[in-house]
Amino acid sequence: MTVTIYDVAREAGVSMATVSRVVNNNPNVKPQTRKKVFEAIERLGYRPNAVARGLASKKTTTVGVVIPDISNTIFSELARGIEDIANMYHYNIILCNADKKKDKEIRVINTLLEKQVDGLLFMGGAVTDEHLQAFKTSSVPIVLCATKDDNNAFASVDINHEQAAFDAVELLIQNGHRNIAMISGTLQDPANGFARYQGYKRALEAANIPLREDYVRIGNYRYESGLEVAKHFLELNERPTAIFAATDEMAIGAMHTLQDNGLRVPEDISVISVDNIRMASMVRPQLTTVAMPMYDIGAVSMRLLTKLMNKETKDASELMQVILPHELIHRNSVAHL
């Protein structure tokens, strides 16, 4: 049978109110009494009913996190940052994988809100009108991680994706490259896709390099699409001397296709990207990339959410979008022409 607070009170010889104070770490309990209650809890195997406590306090101390692809290492690093700060502020995490499918994301968001979470973190991916509609029905704070909505209606923590891409392509240009191809993400994705494409385009324009349609192909952010897209570039009459990939996974896939076809990186074709996943430093040559501070994005997002949940922010201007700095990591995959 389920052990109740009444059973603990009877076992310890105290009132249920005293047991409640001990369970909730109320300091107004004598040490001897507290010890007696804890001993009774241990003997009986009592666990406080979190649902009942949540109904009473109108807080569940639980945060919902929607992750687009749990198998992607970059999101796991972000989730680690979220969890570390959540633990620091005594919040539990419900982590839900949405497989980068909009319908599933909407369903997961609504499910988490039905579970009476105290706040919601939406991680990565495009924020569509359907997402916004689900967010607007929420009675709890929402923070967007590594993405944002077009109208900045919700708090968000991210990097400047366009500038990160610009910096990567500018490095190629500084090394003498003019035939620069891009493996882009979907242009419907405002951050990893469209913004990084815009950064690529702006860097070319700044150097008076014409944009070539045959030098731009769309991938799906993963290793396999990098493998496939790189084959297209090898079939061109005028091969690019450098490839900029929107993600490290696609860049590594491209590198392997080049190497499988007898080409050397970076001597024949240079490769650069954005993310700085662990694998970027494990491949050979090591991948030059723009580092996203994923752990920091997760940690700052969770801290911002705690401020919103606890109403620590008095001014709406404090909820402005947080842009964290990125860093160009020089390794061995870019050659000077």
Side-chain angles (χ1 to χ4, degrees), residues 14-318:
V14 299
S15 68
M16 287 191 290
T18 298
V19 176
S20 178
R21 283 194 289 270
V22 170
V23 169
N24 289 291
N25 295 316
N26 189 310
N28 298 320
V29 180
K30 295 178 180 178
Q32 185 177 355
T33 303
R34 186 183 301 276
K35 181 173 180 292
K36 191 190 306 183
V37 170
F38 277 130
E39 287 174 348
I41 287 173
E42 187 173 349
R43 281 197 302 273
L44 297 176
Y46 170 70
R47 286 185 173 85
N49 188 322
V51 175
R53 292 167 69 186
L55 291 172
S57 65
K58 297 185 179 179
K59 287 186 177 182
T60 60
T61 63
T62 300
V63 168
V65 178
V66 182
I67 184 170
D69 184 358
I70 202 165
S71 66
N72 191 324
T73 56
I74 198 162
F75 290 119
S76 63
E77 186 71 8
L78 200 156
R80 179 64 182 270
I82 290 172
E83 186 181 36
D84 283 353
I85 300 302
N87 288 337
M88 187 181 300
Y89 286 89
H90 308 293
Y91 281 94
N92 299 307
I93 295 293
I94 300 178
L95 186 65
C96 297
N97 177 51
D99 293 323
K100 276 198 167 184
K101 296 178 180 177
K102 183 175 71 173
D103 292 344
K104 188 172 181 180
E105 287 175 348
I106 303 299
R107 186 168 70 251
V108 165
I109 290 167
N110 288 324
T111 298
L112 289 170
L113 294 175
E114 289 168 6
K115 297 288 185 184
Q116 303 296 308
V117 293
D118 292 340
L120 187 70
L121 292 168
F122 180 77
M123 191 187 301
V127 180
T128 66
D129 289 340
E130 291 87 345
H131 289 94
L132 292 175
Q133 185 57 40
F135 293 157
K136 288 174 182 176
T137 63
S138 170
S139 60
V140 299
I142 293 171
V143 173
L144 309 179
C145 312
T147 189
K148 67 174 186 174
D149 63 289
D150 290 339
N151 299 319
N152 294 333
F154 292 90
S156 67
V157 181
D158 206 352
I159 66 164
N160 185 330
H161 292 272
E162 181 178 333
Q163 188 61 44
F166 179 94
D167 292 347
V169 178
E170 185 181 49
L171 178 66
L172 295 173
I173 294 169
Q174 289 171 349
N175 278 277
H177 296 275
R178 293 187 64 83
N179 294 341
I180 303 171
M182 179 180 184
I183 308 176
S184 175
T186 172
L187 300 186
Q188 281 68 50
D189 181 343
N192 298 340
F194 185 71
R196 294 184 185 183
Y197 168 72
Q198 287 295 96
Y200 163 78
K201 183 178 175 183
R202 182 162 64 88
L204 296 183
E205 290 172 351
N208 295 314
I209 299 174
L211 177 68
R212 293 178 49 163
E213 290 186 7
D214 58 345
Y215 274 10
V216 179
R217 284 296 180 268
I218 305 299
N220 66 359
Y221 306 113
R222 304 310 298 269
Y223 172 82
E224 291 76 13
S225 67
L227 285 171
E228 291 302 314
V229 171
K231 293 176 184 177
H232 161 78
F233 296 143
L234 293 182
E235 293 168 358
L236 297 176
N237 290 329
E238 187 177 13
R239 288 177 179 173
T241 63
I243 297 172
F244 165 59
T247 67
D248 287 348
E249 278 203 36
M250 292 195 296
I252 293 169
M255 286 172 57
H256 287 166
T257 288
L258 299 177
Q259 292 165 339
D260 289 347
N261 283 272
L263 296 174
R264 298 167 300 163
V265 179
E267 291 84 357
D268 297 318
I269 298 181
S270 293
V271 179
I272 194 170
S273 59
V274 180
D275 281 342
N276 196 37
I277 62 175
R278 288 189 64 207
M279 189 62 67
S281 62
M282 297 178 184
V283 293
R284 294 296 180 270
Q286 292 181 320
L287 180 63
T288 297
T289 185
V290 179
M292 282 186 70
M294 296 306 291
Y295 178 90
D296 293 343
I297 290 175
V300 172
S301 297
M302 185 62 213
R303 180 64 185 109
L304 178 55
L305 186 62
T306 63
K307 288 184 176 182
L308 294 173
M309 291 186 295
N310 296 316
K311 296 181 171 56
E312 295 177 32
T313 53
K314 298 178 182 178
D315 187 344
S317 65
E318 294 184 36

